[in-house]
Amino acid sequence: MSEENTPSAEWGPMRSFGRIKSRKLKPQQASLFDTLLPRIEANDAHVAAALASGRDLWLEIGFGGGEHLAAQAARNPDVTLIGCEPFLNGVGSALRHIADGDLKNVLILPGDARPLLDSLPEASLSRIFILFADPWPKARHNKRRFIQAETIAAFARALKPGGTVRFATDWADYADWALERFLASPDFNWPAQSQSDWNTAPADHVTTRYETKGLGDCAPVFFDFVRK
Ligand SMILES: C[S@@+](CC[C@H](N)C(=O)[O-])C[C@H]1O[C@@H](n2cnc3c(N)ncnc32)[C@H](O)[C@@H]1O
């Protein structure tokens, strides 16, 4: 393998994430940042090892406090989950869940999911979760929503055929927005089962912290889109 083709060269953009400063954290959290995070950080080497293992790779974007991420990892020991979250205290909370559950199948990227999505090899993910993403309800802020035609194209590139994206929200306009964009994509199907059950939490869903707050303007909506 030539130098340019090694995974570390391919995933160079991931190195540009600034390190979260552990001194801004509570002492218990800071020690997890110093001890646990280096072992499980979704850096080039750890992601390369996860891919080489041949295990299914799932990605959770914006895991908040990490409750869903940790619960899915505990339920699915044969899968490796990557969680991305730029919110410092959320990462600290997820590290606590990972330590408490002695979970060995989680990688954490303390930052923006988009460069990671773009740098993962094509067709490397089996599932993507984006649960109760920031709704940006004001029209002038809609462009900040994570779901855009470009991110849907990035999901399509990174997912295996048959892989899924689960999108959940409790904001009606964001539900419409996401549905419109996924249906416009040539790369995704919305299967009949998800179409009939969109207002019921899927059997394998784990309630998230944000979901319990009920801050949106509608009951939770769940869409499972399938990569063609
Ligand atoms: C409304 S919260 C929901 C958190 C969690 N999914 C839940 O349901 O409790 C949205 C989260 O997405 C994170 N987020 C926003 N933009 C992101 C991005 N580009 N990449 C990864 N996470 C992001 C935020 O920091 C925030 O924690």
Side-chain angles (χ1 to χ4, degrees), residues 62-64 85-87 111-114 131-132 134 146 208-210:
F63 57 66
E85 175 55 62
F87 174 50
D112 186 345
R114 287 168 295 193
L131 306 173
F132 304 94
D134 294 318
F146 195 90
T208 74
R209 192 191 290 187
Y210 188 85

Side-chain angles (χ1 to χ4, degrees), residues 2-51:
S2 72
E3 172 69 16
E4 312 79 80
N5 290 334
T6 58
S8 58
E10 189 177 345
W11 298 329
M14 290 169 66
R15 293 199 209 96
S16 64
F17 290 116
R19 270 218 168 271
I20 290 179
K21 296 282 187 292
S22 55
R23 66 172 178 274
K24 293 183 189 159
L25 296 158
K26 294 180 204 151
Q28 318 89 291
Q29 282 188 329
S31 92
L32 286 173
F33 268 79
D34 292 340
T35 56
L36 180 57
L37 185 58
R39 279 193 274 131
I40 65 165
E41 192 168 10
N43 60 23
D44 303 332
H46 293 158
V47 173
L51 286 164

Side-chain angles (χ1 to χ4, degrees), residues 62 130-135 167-171 174 205-208 210-211 219-222:
I130 175 156
L131 306 173
F132 304 94
D134 294 318
F167 174 83
T169 185
D170 55 4
W171 287 86
Y174 201 5
H205 175 63
V206 176
T207 304
T208 74
Y210 188 85
E211 180 181 359
V221 163
F222 298 85

Side-chain angles (χ1 to χ4, degrees), residues 53-200:
S53 73
R55 295 153 59 94
D56 272 3
L57 203 57
W58 297 1
L59 172 67
E60 181 168 352
I61 296 168
F63 57 66
E67 293 80 13
H68 175 274
L69 181 74
Q72 292 289 5
R75 285 180 185 181
N76 297 283
D78 296 336
V79 168
T80 297
L81 282 105
I82 305 178
C84 294
E85 175 55 62
F87 174 50
L88 177 79
N89 291 313
V91 175
S93 164
L95 292 175
R96 169 52 54 210
H97 290 303
I98 291 163
D100 289 350
D102 195 24
L103 300 170
K104 308 287 187 213
N105 56 337
V106 184
L107 295 176
I108 296 287
L109 178 69
D112 186 345
R114 287 168 295 193
L116 170 70
L117 261 180
D118 290 341
S119 56
L120 284 169
E122 213 175 309
S124 52
L125 297 174
S126 303
R127 296 189 77 171
I128 297 173
F129 298 93
I130 175 156
L131 306 173
F132 304 94
D134 294 318
W136 296 111
K138 291 183 181 154
R140 70 177 186 279
H141 293 152
N142 287 174
K143 58 182 179 296
R144 299 183 189 172
R145 288 175 168 171
F146 195 90
I147 299 296
Q148 305 288 345
E150 296 74 26
T151 39
I152 292 174
F155 292 159
R157 195 197 64 83
L159 276 171
K160 295 178 175 173
T164 58
V165 180
R166 174 165 297 162
F167 174 83
T169 185
D170 55 4
W171 287 86
D173 181 66
Y174 201 5
D176 289 344
W177 170 283
L179 196 52
E180 194 179 313
R181 282 156 183 78
F182 273 98
L183 294 181
S185 162
D187 299 316
F188 285 93
N189 284 322
W190 188 29
Q193 193 189 336
S194 180
Q195 287 191 39
S196 60
D197 286 349
W198 57 269
N199 53 0
T200 308

